[in-house]
Amino acid sequence: MKFNFKTSYIVALVAVVLVLLLFGGRMFLIIEAGERGVIFRPYTSGLDKENIYGEGFHVIAPWNKMYVYNVREQQREETMDVLDKNGLSITTDITVRFNPIHNEIGFLHQQFGVNYINVLVIPEVRSTVRQVAGRYTAEEIYSTKRAEVEQSIKDETRNVLGQNYIEMKALLIRSINLPDQIKNAIESKLQQEQEALAYEFRLQREESEAE
């Protein structure tokens, strides 16, 4: 049988086209701005945690899989009920801003996967807020030690997320709400304390003027 170069060329071209049609979507990919990729090689080395793929065009073997992560700063808002030191229920509104640490998404993917926000970030934020709130009374959280409570929540949340490959940019406590009865009692007490301090100041001033 005489070898037909033209026919062989056409067959090879058709085979290439078929391969591209079947596997092109898995072989060629573009990582957009603000994203990073981590590759999983099921038949060789498994998950490559060390080599992170940056923005741009990439070609991978069709049997491998690229997991793409958004590494831009992201924001989540949470409303939660927590208990104070005495078991009183307090409602807090929290906003947390964060992003995955770019060169550690391989480790993040291995431990938590692409659903890391719901598996890691939100549960840890909730847990930290509850732990910190449980160390203070409602009055301290609402008024006298509010700044200290907020700073403790920020520091402890940043620490635990940092240990799990997440950089926390900011944590904002938008509001702290108490039952109206408790809130009114605390505000009344604070007002009485202010009035007592003002009265004491007037007495001291009058004594000073008399002297």
Side-chain angles (χ1 to χ4, degrees):
M1 182 177 179
K2 187 177 180 179
F3 178 76
N4 190 324
F5 178 79
K6 185 177 181 180
T7 302
S8 300
Y9 178 79
I10 293 174
V11 171
L13 182 61
V14 170
V16 170
V17 171
L18 288 175
V19 170
L20 291 177
L21 289 174
L22 290 173
F23 303 107
R26 300 191 61 176
M27 293 176 61
F28 308 112
L29 57 93
I30 295 176
I31 295 180
E32 303 288 348
E35 296 179 339
R36 295 292 186 277
V38 57
I39 195 168
F40 177 68
R41 300 183 177 92
Y43 303 114
T44 54
S45 57
L47 182 65
D48 187 352
K49 300 185 293 293
E50 304 294 337
N51 298 305
I52 305 303
Y53 288 74
E55 303 165 359
F57 177 76
H58 299 279
V59 180
I60 64 173
W63 51 84
N64 294 337
K65 184 171 183 179
M66 181 80 77
Y67 293 92
V68 178
Y69 278 76
N70 178 5
V71 294
R72 296 186 185 94
E73 184 174 309
Q74 302 175 63
Q75 176 175 302
R76 290 294 184 276
E77 297 181 353
E78 287 291 310
T79 299
M80 64 190 77
D81 293 325
V82 299
L83 299 178
D84 80 336
K85 187 176 181 179
N86 298 320
L88 180 67
S89 179
I90 302 170
T91 301
T92 60
D93 292 319
I94 305 290
T95 296
V96 59
R97 301 206 311 267
F98 61 92
N99 63 265
I101 299 175
H102 296 189
N103 59 352
E104 294 184 349
I105 62 170
F107 299 94
L108 177 66
H109 182 75
Q110 183 183 52
Q111 293 195 29
F112 302 101
V114 293
N115 195 32
Y116 71 92
I117 294 177
N118 294 321
V119 174
L120 168 65
V121 177
I122 299 305
E124 288 295 350
V125 169
R126 286 178 167 271
S127 175
T128 302
V129 172
R130 289 191 175 100
Q131 289 178 16
V132 173
R135 299 199 291 262
Y136 297 87
T137 65
E139 181 179 346
E140 291 172 335
I141 295 172
Y142 184 73
S143 59
T144 59
K145 292 186 178 181
R146 180 163 180 163
E148 179 182 325
V149 172
E150 291 183 355
Q151 191 59 49
S152 295
I153 291 173
K154 292 175 183 178
D155 292 343
E156 294 181 27
T157 303
R158 179 176 288 109
N159 181 55
V160 70
L161 291 181
Q163 293 176 3
N164 290 287
Y165 322 111
I166 301 294
E167 180 180 5
M168 192 189 84
K169 296 293 187 179
L171 190 147
L172 309 174
I173 300 178
R174 303 193 309 275
S175 65
I176 298 176
N177 300 310
L178 302 176
D180 290 339
Q181 183 179 359
I182 303 299
K183 180 180 177 181
N184 294 336
I186 291 175
E187 290 178 347
S188 176
K189 178 183 176 183
L190 292 174
Q191 182 178 356
Q192 292 173 7
E193 290 176 350
Q194 291 298 321
E195 291 174 351
L197 290 173
Y199 179 71
E200 183 179 350
F201 174 76
R202 288 197 300 270
L203 288 179
Q204 291 176 350
R205 187 178 63 182
E206 291 172 357
E207 291 177 359
S208 178
E209 291 174 351
E211 291 177 359

